[in-house]
Amino acid sequence: MTEVEPAIVRPPEPVTISIVSARNLRGQKGDAVSVVIKAEFGEKVLGESPKIDSSADEPAEVNFNAILNCAYDDPHALDEIAYKPVVLTVIEVLPKEKRQKEEKTHLLGQCTVDLLPLVRGETKVSYTLLVNAVPGSPLESLPAECPQPEIDVNLSVQEPLLVDKHLKNGNLMKITMENLLSPPETWTLSGTQYHYAAALPIPVTEDKEAPIVFANGQLKPGSDKELPNKQKKWSKPGNAQGNAVYIPDSFVVSEPIEDEDGDLKGKEDREFRLIAETEKNRVSWTTERRCFLDSAATKHLQDEIAKNRLWPVEVMRLAQASGGKGKNQEEGGINFHGIAFVNLAPLLYPGVKKIRGAYKVWPYSDHILHEKTKRKGGISDEASKIAMNILQHNSTSPSPKKGAKEPEKKDVKKGTSQTVKSDTGSELDGQPPVNAEGQMYVEAKSFVLLEIELDRPLIPKRQPEELARKVAEYIPQRPQFPKRTDGAQRSVEDYHGQVASVANLILDEFRGTFGNEETSGELNSSEDMETKRQKLIYELNSSGKYFAFKEQLKHSVVKIVREKYLKTTNFDDRQELQTFLSELYVYLVDQMHLALGNTLDVGDQSPVPEPLTDSNQLKHFAKEAEVNENYELASKYYQERIAREKNNADNWYDYGTFNLHINDVTKAEECFKECISINQKHLHGLMMYGVVCSLLERKEEAETFFEAATNIDPKSIRAWTMLGLFYDSIGNDIGAEMAYMEANKLNHSAAVAAAKVAKTDTKEKTDLTPPGLDNEPSRDSEVLGDGGLSVPHIDIKSASTHDRTTLTSAKSSHRSIDRRGSSTKKSDKILSAANKPKAQEHTTGTLSISRPASQQKAASMMGTPQPLDDTIEDIPPREPTPLPTCSIYMQTIEWLLEAKAVPFAERALAHELLLPGNAHGGPSIDYQIALAQLNLQKRCFGEAEKCLKIALEMEQQNPDGWALMGHVKYLTGDTETARECFERTISFISDALEMHSIYLRLASIYLSEHKYQDAKNVFLMACRKSPSCVSWLGVGIACYRLNELLEAEDALSEANILNNSDAEVWGYLSLVCLKCGRQLEAEQTYKYALKLNLQDKDLLNEIYQVQQEVGFGNPQF
């Protein structure tokens, strides 16, 4: 049995505090002074420098080093370094007088050294610190214009304090307790004085929390105004006093009330807050407490916030302890016990590191604490003991007299006024306790100002991407389209040209028929002219030229009817038709007379380029229309794909899945039948045709196609799983068991193949790694079966198998894997594996125990167990058998959800739920998200939301969960919550599976909220990754609303290229042309908008209004 080696603890790291020099010091007898500098950390004295002489001319060289060891076996060591300063005390040494045995000393000043940069990973830090005068020091009387006393200090460590992985992944939390404002009226500055404390729990390990206490609250009058930027105090300054209790260069930065995160930030609360901050008494802390959280504590904090957003902050008043024996009854008691609930949910938003706000104080009770935060009890007892301990150790003198006894410790008791309420005792169910003193907080509207800041956000945010300044930079180069100007004026001009052309042709015919007679010079009478006219008409009719001339004019007349009169449909009323024809006839005759003297040549039209959209783009457009529930447009795109490539089986398959989604099973069957008739080995087509046959109750036919799929691709996990699901539906338990067994065997084989590839890649990287940079091997392990083989977590994404869908797809990138340890002896593992029945070998992999000796060494290198041999003294350790990261059901569920096969997806989810890991540990996050997707397809929004809430509690950084939650809220009309979910999704570093619909819906919400610049940016992100007519239309609308007309025209033109039958695109193009003063294009685009039946009434009214403003754009004017 291999013994488990104990965890290696890093030896203590010495922190060197080097006091380099001091200058501008002043003693009781002038500028020449002899001093020593004492270094303290908390209650520990680190050392004292030799006596040095200092003068005003040059600084004193100290060159004294103090050592502070950071012990890594103490979990609180780094935390103490973060929040405790090193106090440097400058002590003047006076010359000995006669008959004096020892030298007299006098305190000059103090300064504090902040060790926080070392916790942040720095190895060398330099400070120039101001020496703060202590009461009675000669430094107090220094004029402001004189140079101030300073000390140069260097901090250094040999290695960074944070080296281990769990420390590097930790975080630093800074909690600033500012003030308690508008306290109860009974708190006065006269009479008995009290201590005021605040406390809140902070995670210190994976499963343990400790109270953080602010014990130095002081009751101040409202007349004592506070500075806008107050300097923060140390939470445990040790022996520091005077101005040395303040943290150097650390100030409270006030923010506008509307930017805060807490309560009382509405307009109606501002007057009350102003009065509370300027006129009423307040309890002031202005103290910062740093907390170092390792990776486990950070994860614990994140999980707790995800489960319950509210975090308790308890406020209390403590009676001052007296040193005499006659202690009053309330000494050390807890009074006015209140609680504030801080909403930490904003810290789970990507990139957020700080929250600050005013939080109301409520009467404390275990009942309200459990109701709000699900915590069983408060921390007041422990916090009060810590507070009294802090207050007792905060000495008024930095160097207490020798032999001074420490204050006697005593247990903190509840105050006599707290007997009515119950803080720690059991409460009656359903009967909240009465807290009379705490109720005064509510009556006074008390609130605390609190700030919590992290060094790194709990959830990292994606870096903002640079967007191009011009929309045209995102539009690809395209061939120039010929300009077509088919407005009303152009149609009339075209008619004039055709009239002139026909007139010239008729004149040529007349000259050809009567040319000789006309050249004689004789004048013709009216009768002769009528005879010639009738003869010419006869010649034109008999030769067919009259019909040809009429057809030549017909096209131009049709254009006038369409462009000028906007008539494109049949007339329902015959009288209306006759009226229109009469009006048209008069108009055409008038225009004919105007055109007889004009001659126009129409140039040849350039050929129109080939369509610029390929099959993949059309599929993308169809999916987009499907998400937007525009099924008619989606069907059109699918049909266009088929029209272009009728013999492409994938086109028929995609159209079939769409028809199955809209519940047109008959048409779906036709599509899948056409798919497999084109390609009889189309695996997905065969399975989906089997699904359709199963839905139509044609069981035998369905079985035939499911079995055909397994025959065509015997290595396909999905094919065997689908066969098993089908057998389940018809009650064939034996067939289902056989199919699942085969699928599991293939899944484990894929895991083994992936492990080989991963091992090869790791070996290649190791060969290239320089010496000394080896990483610590992973200790994560998993167990196979009950007796189990211990295996490490192996990523199988890089494996190559026969089935491209065998391994986890992109959807599995966020999966978490259940890891279980194994302490079984190696020999027991091998024997138990050898004794497993054959049925189990199909699911766990066959373990051979009878191989030739020549193969045993090679087998051990490949992870296959070797047989026990008594002759072998030292058996090399066997590599464990890898396990798949994804079950056969989850792999199939992903495809079924994409193919919209809802009944089979439900059946697969039921099997996934019954797996041993899910049965004992609960469903995984992938199961919850898949179930939410299924409910979303079924439009069961309530059930989908429940699943997503569970999933997001399990993993707050899952972009798919937030994206689906956004879709649920969007479809239910809660656009505000949907916007927050979508914004969070695009802020994550990793993308969700389907980002295009997120961009479109988020940008559409921005448009509805009139946030046009935000809408433009999000639409451009969609255009950059997956451009479509809808995304470019959105860019065009946003640019138009921002009055960026040139960019709007570019975007709308690109949208028109991708889909020239979108009426809304034509409508906005008409608006742009109207604004730019282009009459012909405005009329043309307006005509197409009407022809395509623009349904947006608001857009139509806007077009009418702009047309009236500019005086053109509607040919009917």
Side-chain angles (χ1 to χ4, degrees), residues 51-70:
K51 184 171 64 173
I52 55 173
D53 296 328
S54 174
S55 64
D57 298 334
E58 58 184 19
E61 298 295 332
V62 182
N63 297 325
F64 167 70
N65 294 337
I67 304 298
L68 171 65
N69 287 321
C70 176

Side-chain angles (χ1 to χ4, degrees), residues 919-1073:
H920 294 90
S924 64
I925 184 174
D926 298 310
Y927 172 85
Q928 297 291 354
I929 289 180
L931 185 57
Q933 288 179 294
L934 181 64
N935 286 313
L936 198 59
Q937 289 186 9
K938 296 165 61 178
R939 304 190 70 81
C940 300
F941 300 124
E943 296 297 324
E945 185 174 355
K946 290 179 183 178
C947 299
L948 292 173
K949 286 181 178 178
I950 298 174
L952 292 176
E953 285 183 1
M954 300 169 67
E955 184 181 349
Q956 273 285 322
Q957 301 187 48
N958 192 302
D960 292 321
W962 285 109
L964 290 173
M965 182 66 80
H967 292 312
V968 170
K969 295 297 183 181
Y970 183 86
L971 294 173
T972 54
D974 188 357
T975 55
E976 183 177 356
T977 307
R979 173 174 53 78
E980 294 174 356
C981 294
F982 290 145
E983 287 174 342
R984 186 185 293 252
T985 303
I986 65 174
S987 299
F988 286 119
I989 294 178
S990 56
D991 285 338
L993 296 175
E994 209 287 305
M995 293 295 296
H996 188 71
S997 60
I998 297 172
Y999 290 139
L1000 295 186
R1001 287 180 170 173
L1002 176 58
S1004 66
I1005 294 174
Y1006 283 145
L1007 282 181
S1008 65
E1009 295 176 349
H1010 306 293
K1011 299 178 181 178
Y1012 300 121
Q1013 187 61 50
D1014 292 336
K1016 175 186 174 182
N1017 293 339
V1018 177
F1019 273 127
L1020 280 175
M1021 293 171 69
C1023 293
R1024 180 165 54 183
K1025 295 185 178 181
S1026 49
S1028 67
C1029 173
V1030 177
S1031 60
W1032 281 115
L1033 171 61
V1035 176
I1037 294 174
C1039 291
Y1040 175 76
R1041 299 303 178 194
L1042 293 170
N1043 203 29
E1044 300 172 356
L1045 299 182
L1046 293 179
E1047 294 206 342
E1049 184 178 6
D1050 288 340
L1052 293 170
S1053 299
E1054 182 67 14
N1056 199 17
I1057 289 175
L1058 297 177
N1059 181 11
N1060 60 4
S1061 61
D1062 192 310
E1064 194 172 358
V1065 175
W1066 288 109
Y1068 277 100
L1069 277 171
S1070 180
L1071 282 174
V1072 172
C1073 294

Side-chain angles (χ1 to χ4, degrees), residues 226-232 250-255 286:
E226 290 190 336
L227 298 176
N229 293 333
K230 300 166 290 186
Q231 191 168 8
K232 298 180 182 179
S250 181
F251 298 91
V252 174
V253 180
S254 300
E255 296 179 352
T286 319

